[in-house]
């Protein structure tokens, strides 16, 4: 019988519950020996799934002597402290995105992980979606040739409450950050410049606190490709997650997944079904593949496919995007990265 | 300068006008020197297009000393008489489908054409549609492997008036005959057996005179393939013209052509456009390519791609289909062909 | 806390393992207290999933005093004996298809279920596929109008070994039976006549024992609709599961599910992905929904959506199909049903 | 009999020949009484089509006493001089795009047309393509709600020779100008700001003379919408002409037109056909509808749907785009328009 990876889960909110369920039902190579959360409901959820120990303090998970890897699903401000603490205890870390909203904190996590020789994988689950993974494979296998133009459409079905938006860190770090990571993943090159044009067309009131809900973001890559992301917080027809890469040898695109393949024709035309509602449905399998990849990479001691550098770059692009929006100009990523480097020293 | 083929057009009804317009506007290698019809409106139509001589008697076209090829668009009962007369005058013939509703008449036409060494091409225009032609090319190039299953869906947007249906010769010779020809063309093998299940689900009153408006027709081919055609006189969403061939190496299908490629998504789903309305729109280009092919085959002296044998087989399948419907059993094509051969002797 | 339905699973082959996994991981309203199989591997599988009692004798499951419902996944010949035994013990039954290959046995099961007032649900899982369920909803809600033509394409990616085919009961009861049930489900009317044209185009040797691998089946329904099923044991491009219903108000079709939504364009054209490989992938969710429906219908005491009558009709159509193939004629279902009724008396 | 509009055609290059053929074959309400070109081949082409008078001097067309409308297909530098001359003679004008590459010249043409009360229509044929027209209708009928995001993909199958590119006026006025007009047409609002990121990824040598072949262009509209155009001079899979408009009530997109609707499945996946090759094929019908619209608008005295203001704005956006590329910043359209206005005074 193969050895199972002993894991502990920190944070049992929506995303933590997804990871916990997946660990219990779909990861025969892992077991959850402890989980933490403050909420009694979350404790009941974990106990129902058979987790032997459920605690309130995250450090009880990190410090548990048998835990080999921690799955961090806490609110963002705790990502780095828990990652650093776990690394220092020699535990591997799977951490939800974004790793942090400042480059300095991310660099601290990166250092802890490196110094302690543990693995860190970030939960950029979309990379593990079959559509996007297969587009990436075409690019990596040079079926597209030199990448010239990348297009990402990423629109949510409905915006979160304004109260949430106030503390969300802004559209770029809360929502577009997935697209920034996807852009780097698909093109296979670093972003060097960002330009944003955006507005609050759905909830004009969020402009008051400097946020927007509609954005067109132009990314320039070091390999010469030009990318464009369009984001909206509200697509009435559902979660719109498409992308297209165009290059010297051809083009590949991933269309939406729909609830079914039905087409109904009447005298008004053809009628087809909506996209899968939102990220829980759309990325159900991707969440599973993502977590399984982490477990495999720990058990087989292979490099993490999404590491602290990926977290750093996604956040840096987000910071540059906000700078571009605020200052109304194109912002070079170096401006952001050098400032961080200077602070670091 | 290349020599132009001198043609005469017989019959200027709907289909005759299409052919005449195409000859005038799109066939630089042909000219129309005479046309015939009984109706004054048709005469005006021809004169407006610049036809120098417009007459009432079809034989004036056939006998015109300069006419090298006649385009026969008269009512069906005149197809064979005009074809025979033209052949005997050494004129090439393009004739609308069906060549005739009896096998004996078709055989007479075949003999006249053969004895006088002229070309006869039948207006099975759908063979010249880009969708179906490309499916045929895949089959001919063995991309599908051995053909196993053929599916043809052929549904009209609206039935003709009941008065027309009474004299139409029945659904098989009036409507399905195109599909019978298409079946032989796509599969590249002769039909050997026919089974029909049909009903008058749209206009029950047409059962009184032995006709139906909804049919499922099973064809067995000499090469082992099995085909199925489904016909309806009324598809409320428009003209439905699709087919699919399935074989040992794969499958190819041709979908409908639509008025545009628009897709509109709202909170109810996706909405796409209707198929092109009816045969005039759907086969506009095919009519042109079909006629051009005839002109080329005369000018270059190549074999007719759709000859009397094709007309014979399409009509024979139609007769077998009617026999199957009436007698409620599967009918071998030999039953129909041998009877014709016996009568012939 | 809600009461959980206590179930026992009989037979842990491929399909039994699917049901067991689904019960354990995805059915919070049910628990498996016992399971039976002859194979030690199957026992290990069940124990790994936490089944408290694993036995070799199916009757230990049926007779277990706490078992309220049995899930029968044994070979077909045991379906009816186990169903009858369970019914007589007052246990509800979920049974894999086909219920049996003879109408007499099915009627015996039907009687036992009825006499003992228990529920019987058959595992026609495809009815619970989102594509087909939504087509049925359109028909049931009269969005299609009067059904005129039904088309089902059902092709397997690869045939089972010839050794299996010899004991399979023939293509109609082994493979097409799913399509017969689907046809009745979609059209919402009984089949009254069956005509088959078929051949062994993939493995000619199976003709020796009276089987075929390629079939076109015409079904006539009591409500006037005409249906056509095309079956093949080998579609090199994968599992092909589509259907279309055409009626007086419109048409609805369900296309294949694919591995991803990718389209890749190069100078040769567009390239898209294959259908999901086979039934395990294609109907993964349908298996789950199907079983959950059974549990709900027991717990809420609602009628079984797929009962013994459905099993009887699917098998009867299969018998009629074989008769049509053998005798080369259209076979009325009454011929088959009356014979069974006569035997019954 | 209805009066026919007497027209003269100036310039019989590729596009002039298309318009002339369409006038002769497809515009029963117009007749061509004179045409001009310098080339003897062009003269032969016109005579073959039956044009009674063919001349070398464009002013012979403009001054012909019977000519009521001129169709200007000359090289761009002659567009405005001929338009002004025709207007001063009281002739209506259909002129190919762009009207001119300077705003001053366009304003001169606008004044001449207005002072002499004639119609001017520009040949922005893509507005008359069924796909895009129907998207516009959805927007105009408020089916999309408030427009938020516009996406246009416009990629040519192959770049013109570098020699042509040197004198083309640059990608924005030569190629993107169609997209600028389309953007204004679809959104129904004026562009107020332009940002460009572009590069010479296909032919690096054209950077020497300040041109590019790959561009992402962000447009901000007065109504708040944000648009993005992506252009490439070379898509190896053919002419890629798609667009999408996203708004508060939904989204509509127009996909490419393809050579046929074939899909071929083999063990590698599905294979579909290429887009229609280039503008002659893709916009064949749009050219016809565009010209017919001009003739109708003259005969019925309705306003020109694409007038000098449309030409002015398309060129102004092109100038702003070049300025953005050169200066590496977002450029407000007012900068360009005010400069022109200042020069004007």
């Amino acid at each position: 019988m193969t050895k199972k990876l002993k894991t502990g889960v920190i944070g049992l909110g929506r995303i933590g519950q997804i990871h916990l369920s997946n660990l219990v039902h779909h990861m025969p190579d892992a077991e959850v020996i402890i989980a933490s959360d403050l909420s009694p409901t979350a404790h009941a959820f974990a106990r129902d799934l058979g987790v032997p120990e459920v605690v309130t303090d995250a450090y009880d998970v990190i410090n548990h002597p048998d835990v080999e890897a921690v799955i961090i699903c806490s609110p963002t401000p705790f990502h780095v402290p828990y990652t650093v603490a776990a690394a220092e205890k020699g535990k591997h870390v799977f951490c939800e995105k974004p790793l942090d909203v400042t480059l300095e904190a991310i660099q601290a996590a990166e250092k802890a992980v490196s110094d302690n020789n543990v693995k860190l994988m970030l939960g950029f689950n979309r990379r593990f979606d079959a559509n996007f993974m297969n587009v990436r494979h075409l690019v990596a296998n040079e079926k597209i040739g030199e990448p010239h133009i990348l297009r990402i459409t990423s629109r949510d079905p409905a915006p979160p409450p304004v109260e949430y938006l106030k503390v969300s860190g802004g559209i770029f770090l809360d929502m577009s950050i997935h697209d920034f990571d996807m852009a780097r993943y698909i093109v296979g090159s670093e972003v060097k410049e960002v330009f944003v044009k955006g507005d609050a067309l759905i909830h004009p009131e969020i402009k008051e606190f400097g946020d927007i809900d509609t954005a067109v973001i132009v990314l320039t890559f070091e390999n010469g490709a030009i990318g464009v992301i369009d984001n909206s917080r509200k697509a009435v027809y559902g979660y719109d997650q498409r992308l297209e890469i165009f290059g010297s040898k051809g083009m590949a695109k991933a269309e939406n997944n729909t609830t079914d393949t039905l087409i109904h024709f009447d005298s008004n035309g053809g009628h087809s079904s909506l996209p899968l509602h939102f990220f829980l449905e759309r990325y159900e399998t991707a969440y599973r593949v993502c977590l399984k990849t982490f477990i495999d990479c720990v058990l087989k001691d292979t490099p993490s496919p999404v590491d602290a550098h990926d977290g750093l770059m996604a956040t840096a692009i987000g910071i540059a995007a906000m700078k571009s929006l605020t200052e109304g100009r194109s912002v070079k990523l170096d401006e952001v990265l050098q400032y961080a480097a200077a602070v670091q020293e």
Side-chain angles (χ1 to χ4, degrees), chain A residues 10 58-59 61-63 70-72 74 76-96 99-100 102-122 308 344:
Chain A
I10 296 173
Y59 287 97
V61 175
I62 294 168
N63 296 328
V70 296
I71 316 295
I72 303 176
S74 62
T76 301
F78 298 95
H79 286 178
V80 168
Y82 292 162
T83 296
V84 170
E88 288 175 349
K89 288 277 176 183
K91 314 291 172 84
H92 303 289
V93 176
F94 177 94
C95 183
E96 268 307 305
L99 187 43
D100 198 86
T102 73
L103 303 182
E104 296 72 19
I106 295 173
Q107 284 162 335
E110 192 167 20
K111 185 168 185 306
V113 163
S114 169
D115 288 352
N116 293 286
N117 203 23
V118 296
K119 315 248 177 226
L120 169 65
M121 180 167 156
L122 299 183
Q344 192 83 341

Side-chain angles (χ1 to χ4, degrees), chain A residues 20 218 262 320 324:
Chain A
L20 181 56
V218 179
L262 193 66
S324 173

